[in-house]
């Protein structure tokens, strides 16, 4: 496949040259004084992206999945009850992880295409008079369905039930692309990774952790060494790492934060909204439907789109890849064969999005979808045109 | 501007990662034995791209303009007569250079949008009974107008007039993108550069030189040192350079030739034709006209497109750049304000071309051009769709 | 600090340009068919480095420490007994991990500077009539002391005791630099990482796993999700990953294996021996002593060197870093302040080693060590000179 | 050869990562507004390195040799007399170029190992009552012999003779490494290149030009187009280029200037002096002699060193390259076989220099030179040790 074409998978994202250069660093000594000077500000600046001043940031050389495991192991004990809703592949995986780690999962099944059910959470929490539920787990942006959940509403539910459970949020595919307010939403652990909104290579799990979560460590008996918060915080305090740090990613993270803060987080979010809306206009022009059931659930980082009845979404993504050299997200889990996904996060321009829309239109036409070539492109062009301003031309 | 968006200037072209990596080499000793092993095959393989077996390849650390100067200085003497037609900015510049170097220019003025006038050349050469014309200069691909000239026809004219003049061809923006047959066309010096079909950074002039041109060196009295063929050939023969070589570009050239020969030159040419035709379909859908007057003149590397009467092409390219972060070619010389240009050469995919078309449509709509958003994109999509095959997805 | 100077820490190693370029890849779709074609041969070729044909290779996006955790979690259950000897910081850390994961550690304390005590292992295993010991853990190359243990002898001890325990080996700082024979030594899990002999960035744990270890998974109840062997093997079988793979490192690994196999593993090992011996000659010329107690224990990847009585090794490494911009390994654990370390592994030449020796000599002289400037360099030069052959000039 | 070892040729120099990254830029539109903003400050900052406020900087995509040709062609006419001294290969080449361009060379032969003879210049200029000498040409740093000439003394000679000739100086291998004072020395054209003190790839000629030189353009009739000052200045004035600019080198130049000015030019010069003196101490310890005849002539960027009688310097540099993978400068011209050269300019540290000295010692020992291994290294170590300060550890 041509390296020249952008990818439209919902992460890892297209990596801007600036960040590729930043990660291209030669080996340096991670025990030398200059590493300290590099790493401490990275942790500090990342707090701005999480929307926290009271929490702290902890990273591990791992993927986002490793970040989830770290969240559970450091705060919970075998047999602890957790409250989770399943409404997509990534919320499903988190449930699976809880079960494997011996947690007692109180599960709320929801239709795929919906988000975290604050009302049902409130009911469950209110019913839990003994406070046996130790944590509520929410996937902020369900990458499989393109659904953004309302974390503030979940916090509201917990408060309404006056329940002391911890609130854990998977923001892997939302952080640094959509607003995240760890402090005001009362999130205790937020889990993300390097390869989405931070536009870096895969390999660093990035967590925001509240004091309340840290306090829970003392009683937590799930075993942990690699993912131990205390070891990491202790080493970080003196500028070190409990084992070999992923130096290239840390340098990349430093530059990524510079890019994000130079553009301004609000501008970053606005850009994602504009790009996402362009895609949604195209979907409308094609006469197709999003998996996300209502506009308040629409994700600004990924759109999952149902193919028409009788069509196979895998054939569509295969055609786009094999014939035109462009990768789109396949339908995952329940959505396999039924929906494809367009990732529109990270370092992306209007121009790049239009090339993705033009490509998928050709693939749809090749497979005799009832769509008109250029129609989605035109709808997105109209949207992108109507928005003017200095920020538009820049990717990030 | 976003580095993520492709450029649509007619060179320098978008550089594929593979070639950027190849040029990223650390300093090596150009007097060491391994340089010889690197450079000799590069010269040899470049002959394939020029379409020559009997000629030789000579390079200089310079731009294509330096290559032109090398061609003149090594073969001509002050006062020598050269026959040239002016039909665009680049043929104009060559004429200017001849005059500055004290050559006697016999000029044939042609409308911009036409190509090298073989019939007029034949008439002029036939009239030159004393053979005072020492060289005929042809711009194969006039980058300012998107016109490809018929070099074989010029050779036919020279043969018909039984004239012994040298034939010099500027193939800066055609070589390695459109067929070039130095030997069968009887070209004596072909001048190109690193930054177009070879997809590299600017900085290396690349010449194909016939034995007849080399023989002309003995009598040529125009001064030359930096651009001296004999010094360069002498040093190259033992694997060296008469001064410091542009090492990074030589390594880049080696990899570029690998890419071109892996794809197959015929496939490279076919890809350029397909991409160019997609652009031309878009131009038709917009109801606009090419500067190139007839289809046989259409260039497969650059299209110059008249803006409608009453519009300013500079405002259009400015809008594309300022609002959407995409560079197109401005109108040069006579075409300034009247036409803009879309470069479609080098490492480029269907997908990238569609993004350029979508962008310029938005810019045209912003400036109230009477075009329909998506119309050009749709016409190009239809063309790209109709062509299938394994080669399509790859850039090069 | 100057990026131009090599590092002499015992990993991460100096990364050759070829591998930096390989890891510089733009994002590609890890669910696309070409990823399969990339990854499967990487796993296969890595087996050659482990010295296994019957085992399999499993990787995780983590550091080597994560690899250790994976080894334990997939094969053991809380309360299981493991037999370990402590003779350095890294064997110590493994013991700590076992304890945190609820394993019952049968510990053999050994002096730092010695290696795995095969005789004591044999005694312990012979005494364990009930076969309550489930695994024997050995650090092949103790990076803190520069001691290489005899894994074959440990296997001999296990066989002599006819004990069925699993044999786990930490080869993080030996694999791909010193001979490793997983099959013939009967190793059940060998744990390594990307940043040492493979000369890559940190971020990939690399494990060799025997069928016997895989069989132990069924009964193992330590919780695991991120590090689950079964998930990883299942996804790998169809060319995938259970979560986002560290793409850049996988491409880097592909190129690293090419480099290692092009040089030839035996040549790689011989080069490390030559470089290490040069360092040891320098140590002798300085009149200093290695931490490793006897020549059979000398590591070919790192030398830990006692500073003279009354000197502080930390002051020495600080001086080298602050004054000359070169990083050496500090003394770890018991060795802190008493010994410094010279890493001589990965992509390294005689010339680079000499620059390290010259630097530490200056730092020693600055601190009034009783050594003669140039003496260690001369001893190493004499050794490097005496060894001739085509392989010498190349790093890898 | 290993890319890990530094080169010790007197240019092109080892390129720091920071500059390789800066030159790794993707194609941008050189006709776009942001190019102007990039290029103008580069020209301005380069003036600081030339030591001029009244002059201007002109660059061409060419090597330094192209820069010389530009100097001659823009200011002189065929038959013009120039005064030059020959004392090495590079002064020789300049003479050859003058002759090829039809200039009348008044030649002063000097022994290789000496520099520009101010006294003889003064005599010649005083004798030229008719002021037929139009220019005096001086090679500031003769790379072939490691001799630095006293340009101020030449200016003094010209002033003493009250001669109006232009003063042209080749500072290719001195600029940005040794002090250069264009204004105070009254230099009219100073010629340099990108690949020496600027630490970049080869491919950009860089000239400082005085108003007096510009005034000479009007009468100068040597033909020029590619190298025309007026075209270049005209285009530069509006942020453009008369042909395709070497974009990657311009971005590289911007970063190189940042590095030089961050370190501080005085610190850059002091670093070169320290490194050069270390090399000279080693030469003394070996009992060898420099080609430069007296200390005031010693170059701080390159040392040419006589091999003992009966030895062949080419065998020595071959041995260093073939056996140890390190490039040194061969003896050029008269010095071929008699002397080898150590380049010590650009981005270089004490540590790197020591590795070069250690290598050449091994090569000398291999060829039975009467030197003691480690002796030169020790002498340089002693020098490098005695100099302390924050600047030492950094390359640039």
């Amino acid at each position: 496949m041509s390296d020249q074409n952008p990818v439209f998978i919902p992460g890892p994202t297209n990596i801007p040259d600036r960040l590729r250069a930043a990660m291209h660093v030669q080996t340096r000594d991670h025990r030398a004084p200059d590493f300290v000077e590099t790493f401490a500000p990275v942790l500090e600046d990342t707090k701005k992206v999480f929307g926290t001043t009271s929490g702290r940031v902890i990273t591990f050389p791992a993927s986002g999945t490793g970040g989830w495991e770290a969240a559970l192991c450091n705060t919970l004990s075998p047999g602890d009850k957790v409250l989770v809703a399943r409404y997509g592949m990534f919320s499903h995986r988190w449930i699976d992880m809880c079960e494997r780690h011996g947690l007692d999962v109180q599960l709320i099944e929801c239709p795929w295409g919906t988000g975290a059910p604050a009302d049902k959470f409130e009911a469950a929490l209110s019913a839990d008079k003994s406070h046996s539920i130790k944590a509520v787990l929410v996937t902020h942006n369900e990458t499989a369905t393109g659904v953004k959940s309302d974390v503030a509403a979940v916090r509201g539910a917990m408060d309404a039930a006056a329940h002391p459970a911890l609130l854990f949020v998977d923001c892997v595919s939302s952080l640094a692309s959509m607003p995240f307010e760890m402090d005001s939403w009362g999130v205790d652990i937020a889990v993300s990774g390097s390869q989405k909104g931070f536009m870096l290579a895969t390999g660093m799990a990035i967590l925001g952790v509240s004091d309340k979560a840290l306090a829970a460590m003392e009683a937590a008996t799930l075993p942990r060494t690699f993912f131990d918060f205390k070891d990491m915080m202790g080493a970080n305090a003196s500028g070190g790492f409990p084992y070999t740090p992923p130096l290239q990613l840390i340098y990349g993270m430093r530059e990524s934060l510079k890019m994000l803060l130079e553009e301004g987080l609000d501008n970053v979010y606005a850009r994602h909204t504009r790009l996402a809306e362009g895609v949604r206009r195209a979907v409308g022009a094609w006469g197709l439907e999003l998996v996300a059931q209502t506009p308040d659930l629409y994700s600004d980082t990924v759109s999952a789109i149902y193919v028409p009845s009788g069509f196979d979404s895998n054939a569509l993504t295969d055609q786009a890849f094999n014939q035109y050299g462009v990768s789109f997200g396949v339908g995952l889990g329940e959505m396999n064969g039924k929906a494809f996904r367009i990732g529109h996060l990270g370092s992306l321009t209007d121009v790049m999005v239009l090339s993705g829309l033009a490509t998928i239109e050709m693939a749809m036409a090749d497979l005799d979808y009832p769509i008109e070539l250029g129609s989605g492109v035109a709808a997105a062009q109209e949207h992108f045109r109507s928005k003017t301003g200095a920020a538009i031309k820049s990717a990030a």
Side-chain angles (χ1 to χ4, degrees), chain A residues 208-233:
Chain A
V209 183
S210 75
D211 284 342
K212 186 173 166 190
L214 292 181
M217 286 198 302
E218 299 309 317
T221 63
L222 269 172
R224 58 199 181 258
T225 306
F226 182 71
F227 288 126
D228 192 85
F229 282 174
K230 197 176 283 184
D231 286 3
M232 184 58 75
M233 289 188 299

Side-chain angles (χ1 to χ4, degrees), chain A residues 7 36 42 69 83 89 107 123 162-163 175-176 184 186 232 236 288 335 343 372 377 379:
Chain A
V7 294
V36 189
V42 165
E69 190 158 324
L83 177 65
M89 177 54 84
L107 176 60
H163 198 287
L175 195 74
S184 69
M232 184 58 75
N236 287 179
L288 299 183
M335 294 298 127
E372 187 188 347
V377 169

Side-chain angles (χ1 to χ4, degrees), chain A residues 49-286:
Chain A
V49 184
F50 274 113
T52 186
T53 54
S54 62
R56 50 174 79 216
V57 170
I58 301 177
T59 72
F60 297 100
S63 76
T65 302
W68 298 356
E69 190 158 324
L72 302 183
C73 291
N74 279 282
T75 55
L76 300 173
S77 302
D80 275 357
K81 184 177 284 189
V82 296
L83 177 65
V84 206
R86 172 156 50 203
Y87 44 84
M89 177 54 84
F90 291 88
S91 43
H92 166 74
R93 284 198 191 157
W94 206 345
I95 293 162
D96 175 60
M97 180 184 280
C98 289
E99 290 171 344
R100 292 193 193 197
H101 277 72
L103 301 175
D104 177 13
V105 177
Q106 180 169 341
L107 176 60
I108 301 174
E109 290 283 1
C110 303
W112 288 36
T114 66
D119 52 348
K120 292 185 181 163
F121 278 152
E122 184 175 340
L125 293 164
S126 297
D128 177 36
K129 301 300 180 198
S130 65
H131 292 173
S132 66
I133 294 172
K134 298 302 176 199
V136 178
L137 277 55
V138 174
T139 298
H140 181 216
N141 191 64
E142 175 50 72
T143 318
T145 58
V147 164
K148 171 188 62 183
S149 284
D150 186 344
V151 179
V154 174
R155 164 51 57 198
M158 294 174 73
D159 289 350
H163 198 287
L166 295 162
L167 174 58
F168 294 169
V169 177
D170 167 356
C171 55
V172 172
S173 63
S174 59
L175 195 74
S177 305
M178 297 195 285
F180 197 86
E181 294 298 334
M182 184 171 157
D183 280 0
S184 69
W185 297 345
V187 174
D188 292 303
I189 302 187
V191 177
S192 195
S194 50
Q195 80 279 14
K196 308 270 181 172
F198 291 110
M199 308 168 285
L200 297 167
T202 303
M204 191 157 62
I206 303 164
L207 289 83
V209 183
S210 75
D211 284 342
K212 186 173 166 190
L214 292 181
M217 286 198 302
E218 299 309 317
T221 63
L222 269 172
R224 58 199 181 258
T225 306
F226 182 71
F227 288 126
D228 192 85
F229 282 174
K230 197 176 283 184
D231 286 3
M232 184 58 75
M233 289 188 299
N236 287 179
S238 56
F241 230 77
Y243 35 75
T244 317
L247 198 75
Q248 282 72 12
L249 283 165
I250 289 170
Y251 278 89
M253 191 71 180
R254 181 172 67 167
E255 194 69 19
S256 171
L257 288 161
K258 262 192 219 167
M259 282 182 76
L260 291 167
L261 298 175
E262 279 173 15
E263 185 177 359
L265 288 175
D266 286 343
N267 292 328
V268 170
Y269 304 147
R271 178 167 52 79
H272 279 84
T273 300
R274 190 184 70 248
L275 296 174
E277 183 59 23
V279 170
R280 293 189 285 258
R281 298 283 176 99
V283 172
W286 296 329

